[in-house]
Structure formats: structure tokens, C-alpha cells
Amino acid sequence: MSYATAKLIEEKVFKDPVHRYVHVRDQVIWDLVGTREFQRLRRIRQLGTTYLVFHGAEHSRFNHSLGVYEIVRRIVDDIFAGRPEWDASERLLVLCAALLHDLGHGPFSHAFENVFDTDHEEYTRAILLGDTEVNAVLRRVAEDFPEKVAQVIGKTYPNKLVISLISSQIDADRMDYLQRDAYYTGVSYGHFDMERILRVMRPRQGQVVIKESGMHAVEDYIMSRYQMYLQIYFHPVSRSAEVILNHILKRVKALSEQNYSFKHAPSHFKPFFENNITLEDYIALDESIMLTYIQFWMQEEDAILRNLSSRFINRKLFGYMNMDPQKEPQRFARLQQLFKQIGIDPAYYLVHDSTSDLPYDLYQPGVATGKLPIMLQMANGEIRELSQESSLVDAIAGRLKTDHKVYYPEEILIDETLDEAVKQELYELLHN
């Protein structure tokens, strides 16, 4: 028996609050779970700073990656098995891609990537193809197997059906994170009938399609995703924490460039400051290390770094208002002037943040920046795009939802040392 087809003597299971159990029968999958690079995902939260708002949101990318793997395993073993449109020889490939798709995420991914201009997808590929334990396991399958897994995750693999299982508008990635994030945040928005969706999935040339009879379950899934983005992923308080974290890293980077003498030198970050990052440098960073540094930085001489670090650790977050500075430049400029006047640096304490999402991408199907549209298989065999049949989906298709906020320290409005006229003007500008 070859390594690619080797099975465990006894099936392994992970108890899971979303899928009940995650089943592992393949030796390759079990070996991948045990690698240091995959175990690192236990120390990377799935929802970044959201745990500071929804206290249950402590789940990791390790949890999520196992969940995505389990959904794909069910599809290829239970739904697609034996169907002529599905090539069973690609089973292990898509299982590995599902398990490893988030391998390159850094600590507090979005804030980290914004400051250091890294790309978690590029690092996923680097881990798959570099001198890593994951690469060693994959190469035991075949010399070109790591590259094939990287192609699936990078959406360049020739068989688009394989890609669509983990990267489309109704893929295993989204189906897991919606349910998992809803479970751990304690909200009901992310729940939908995944069992029904899985039962009506069918392999077709180039992508997964949904039987017409399952359209209403798909509508429910899309609305769940829409609500999760509005209520969880766009949550303004979570974004406040991310803004502070982002500016902690920016301040550390700026101080490093000024040769500031740190009490606790950020040695783990030095390669990122100098843009001389090795794969080992990247893998060595996780959220436990970053949080340790932030606690150290609470003792620094630099007032801005000390204050921002203390705010993050002790959850003294910024307040916010709805505002797009591009639409109100004079108002924003006046706020900047007043902040400088009272001795507060607006670069760190008056911060514009925007975020946006398409609930369903109708206008860019299958292009590099978009996702394949969801296709229905009609009773007569015809393939129709979802929004052509669903008036509910048609109503939200292609509508970009963008939210603008400006974050600031609320305590300035009750600071008794400030001139009353200045405070009054600040109040009016911040609450207009």
C-alpha cells in the first residue's frame, strides 16, 4: 500500500462543537495535523480581536481548518463518491488543501498584514513548498504533490471543480466559519441548514452546482453570511481593538526606525522591520508572543506606545462615530487641528477605518478578484445562476456594503483640564 492510500489502523476523531466529530482515516491527514506548522494554528485566533467583544470567540484557526477538512471529507466521501463527474484520484488532494488552506495566517492577521505588508496566502504557499514538516509529509505522497496542493489553495489548479470546494461563494471554508463563528460568539445569525445544502450539491464540469430543490437552503445560507458580516465581522468595537493593535505595531515600527532604545527589544519583529523575513521568522510568531510583547510595552518610556499597549491589554478601547473623511474633509481636518492643540497626536488617536463586503458577488464571477457564482441545476438539467431564480438573492446581489468609522479616545470629552470651549467644539464635531 502506498503512503497516499494508507489508512490508520483505527479511525481518529476530534470532538467538535459544530460538526460533532471530525473523522480522520487517512495516514497523510493524521501526519499533517501533527506537524509543527499546523499545530501553530492553535495559537492564532480565528476572529482576531473579536474576543474583546464576544468573550466566547477564543476559537482558533486550528479549529476552523479541521472543520473545513471535515465538510470537504463529507462531500467527497458521501456526496460525490461514485459520480462520474468526480475524479476520485483527486480526493486526497482536496482534503489536504482544505486542511491546510489557512496555514500562512499570522497573529491577528489583518492588523499584522496591514503594518508589515505581508500576505498570508503567500506564506501558506511558502510553508507548503519550503523546508517544513508539512512539505516533508506532502512530498511522501509525490514530489509534485506540495505544488498541486498550493495550486488548489492559490486557485490555479486546472480542475476548477476541486478549487470550488474550498474557494467559491458556497464553499466548505465559508460554511464552516459562519457556523463556527456564530457558535463561539453566541449569536444565531450564522446558522443555516448545511445538511440540506450538502445533500443537494452535485459535481459538474468546472464547479459544484446545487439542485434546484435546495435553493431556499442556499438563500438562508447567503442571508446568514450577510447578517454575520453586519453584526460580527463589521462590529465597531472589535474594529476599535484592531485599530489600536494596528497602531501599536505602527508605533513600534516607527520607534525602531528612529533607533529608540526599548526596555524590551522587539527581537521577534526585527526581520519584519528590516523586510528581511525568513520562513522560520514568520512561523515563530504567534499571538501568545505578540501579547507578551504588548504587555512588555506597557512599561516603555514612549508615552504613545505605553498608552496604546495598556488600552489593548486592559480593554480601554476607543469610541467611534460614523464618518467618511473623504466626504467631510473640513470636519475631519478641524478635528485633527483640535487634537494637536490639546497635545494628542491624531496619527494615533484619530483614526479612520472602513470595511466592506459583497453579500453575493454577481458581477465578477470566476475572475481573479471574485468568486464563482452559485449555479442551480434545474429539473430539466439546465444550469442557471442563483440570482436569476431567487428574488431574495437578486435584491442583494452585487451591492457593496461599506461602513466608515472614525475612532478616538472618548475620555477627552470629560477631561477637566481641557478648555471648556475646546471640549464643546470637540463634542459637537464628534457627535454631529
Side-chain angles (χ1 to χ4, degrees):
M1 179 182 295
S2 72
Y3 183 59
T5 58
K7 302 296 181 183
L8 299 171
I9 296 174
E10 183 175 312
E11 179 184 81
K12 304 290 186 180
V13 294
F14 294 86
K15 194 74 176 76
D16 188 83
V18 176
H19 306 303
R20 295 189 66 242
Y21 289 98
V22 173
H23 301 263
V24 179
R25 304 183 184 114
D26 298 276
Q27 185 68 53
V28 175
I29 298 299
W30 185 246
D31 291 346
L32 286 171
V33 170
T35 61
R36 67 184 287 256
E37 296 86 18
F38 191 77
Q39 289 293 317
R40 170 182 169 273
L41 296 181
R42 292 182 185 271
R43 305 187 300 278
I44 306 289
R45 287 184 181 85
Q46 174 69 14
L47 287 181
T49 60
T50 303
Y51 73 98
L52 292 170
V53 181
F54 299 91
H55 63 266
E58 296 277 357
H59 57 303
S60 68
R61 293 194 180 273
F62 182 92
N63 305 147
H64 166 62
S65 297
L66 286 175
V68 177
Y69 153 81
E70 176 62 14
I71 294 173
V72 171
R73 186 200 64 77
R74 290 184 59 188
I75 293 171
V76 298
D77 287 354
D78 302 338
I79 310 298
F80 286 8
R83 295 185 182 276
E85 300 89 348
W86 172 247
D87 183 352
S89 70
E90 293 179 311
R91 173 185 175 276
L92 183 63
L93 173 63
V94 74
L95 290 182
C96 291
L99 184 72
L100 303 174
H101 76 286
D102 270 355
L103 204 57
H105 272 282
F108 299 105
S109 299
H110 301 298
F112 191 82
E113 290 187 3
N114 287 340
V115 174
F116 297 116
D117 195 28
T118 58
D119 183 334
H120 69 269
E121 292 183 357
E122 290 182 6
Y123 276 100
T124 296
R125 179 177 174 82
I127 293 170
L128 292 171
L129 302 180
D131 183 14
T132 61
E133 292 182 12
V134 163
N135 176 264
V137 172
L138 296 176
R139 277 193 294 108
R140 285 186 64 189
V141 176
E143 278 298 320
D144 65 345
F145 194 63
E147 178 59 38
K148 287 183 177 180
V149 174
Q151 287 176 355
V152 175
I153 296 173
K155 299 181 281 294
T156 61
Y157 187 69
N159 187 350
K160 303 306 179 187
L161 171 60
V162 172
I163 294 172
S164 71
L165 288 173
I166 60 170
S167 184
S168 64
Q169 293 199 76
I170 190 162
D171 57 33
D173 183 22
R174 293 187 183 197
M175 285 194 284
D176 183 81
Y177 75 61
L178 290 176
Q179 295 177 93
R180 192 168 300 277
D181 295 349
Y183 177 87
Y184 282 102
T185 55
V187 302
S188 61
Y189 315 114
H191 298 297
F192 57 92
D193 193 351
M194 186 183 78
E195 299 300 318
R196 176 62 177 161
I197 291 175
L198 295 186
R199 285 180 59 84
V200 296
M201 277 187 162
R202 295 293 182 267
R204 286 288 292 246
Q205 185 68 33
Q207 77 171 105
V208 172
V209 298
I210 306 294
K211 289 178 63 177
E212 177 189 12
S213 59
M215 183 181 77
H216 298 301
V218 176
E219 289 176 330
D220 188 34
Y221 154 82
I222 289 176
M223 292 309 298
S224 293
R225 183 178 184 277
Y226 179 65
Q227 292 292 344
M228 283 292 285
Y229 269 82
L230 292 180
Q231 303 296 330
I232 304 298
Y233 306 134
F234 285 4
H235 197 288
V237 180
S238 176
R239 286 161 57 196
S240 175
E242 188 162 308
V243 161
I244 291 174
L245 178 59
N246 186 296
H247 283 73
I248 289 172
L249 295 174
K250 284 185 176 179
R251 186 61 177 175
V252 172
K253 184 178 180 182
L255 291 173
S256 180
E257 291 170 351
Q258 297 165 19
N259 295 317
Y260 170 84
S261 180
F262 289 90
K263 289 183 178 180
H264 299 280
S267 56
H268 283 78
F269 295 89
K270 186 177 179 182
F272 297 87
F273 298 150
E274 298 174 351
N275 197 25
N276 186 28
I277 312 162
T278 67
L279 185 56
E280 184 59 34
D281 293 329
Y282 191 85
I283 293 171
L285 263 185
D286 58 41
E287 287 176 16
S288 61
I289 289 175
M290 184 174 285
L291 287 170
T292 299
Y293 272 110
I294 295 174
Q295 293 204 55
F296 287 156
W297 294 332
M298 290 168 61
Q299 310 303 321
E300 285 293 341
E301 294 295 332
D302 181 75
I304 292 175
L305 179 57
R306 185 174 66 246
N307 175 263
L308 293 176
S309 298
S310 178
R311 284 177 179 275
F312 188 81
I313 293 296
N314 297 312
R315 200 189 177 281
K316 305 299 182 184
L317 305 180
F318 289 159
Y320 60 88
M321 62 174 174
N322 295 316
M323 182 184 181
D324 181 355
Q326 288 192 337
K327 293 182 177 179
E328 300 181 81
Q330 292 181 329
R331 179 184 173 195
F332 190 69
R334 180 55 182 159
L335 279 168
Q336 289 177 313
Q337 289 174 352
L338 288 172
F339 270 56
K340 290 176 182 176
Q341 183 178 326
I342 62 177
I344 297 177
D345 189 343
Y348 292 97
Y349 292 95
L350 187 68
V351 184
H352 170 239
D353 179 73
S354 67
T355 188
S356 60
D357 181 64
L358 279 174
Y360 179 69
D361 188 350
L362 174 65
Y363 299 119
Q364 294 181 310
V367 300
T369 56
K371 300 273 188 180
L372 289 170
I374 299 172
M375 306 302 287
L376 298 176
Q377 180 176 287
M378 312 306 289
N380 63 3
E382 181 186 359
I383 301 297
R384 301 268 292 171
E385 190 270 321
L386 175 63
S387 67
Q388 295 177 330
E389 297 297 316
S390 168
S391 56
L392 187 154
V393 174
D394 183 57
I396 63 172
R399 295 174 185 260
L400 185 67
K401 173 66 178 176
T402 302
D403 184 59
H404 292 273
K405 293 282 189 290
V406 168
Y407 290 89
Y408 63 94
E410 285 184 299
E411 66 271 15
I412 61 173
L413 298 177
I414 57 172
D415 186 345
E416 295 182 355
T417 67
L418 294 183
D419 179 80
E420 285 300 320
V422 171
K423 278 203 297 186
Q424 182 62 32
E425 186 177 1
L426 279 170
Y427 183 88
E428 291 174 356
L429 288 167
L430 293 169
H431 291 85
N432 186 4

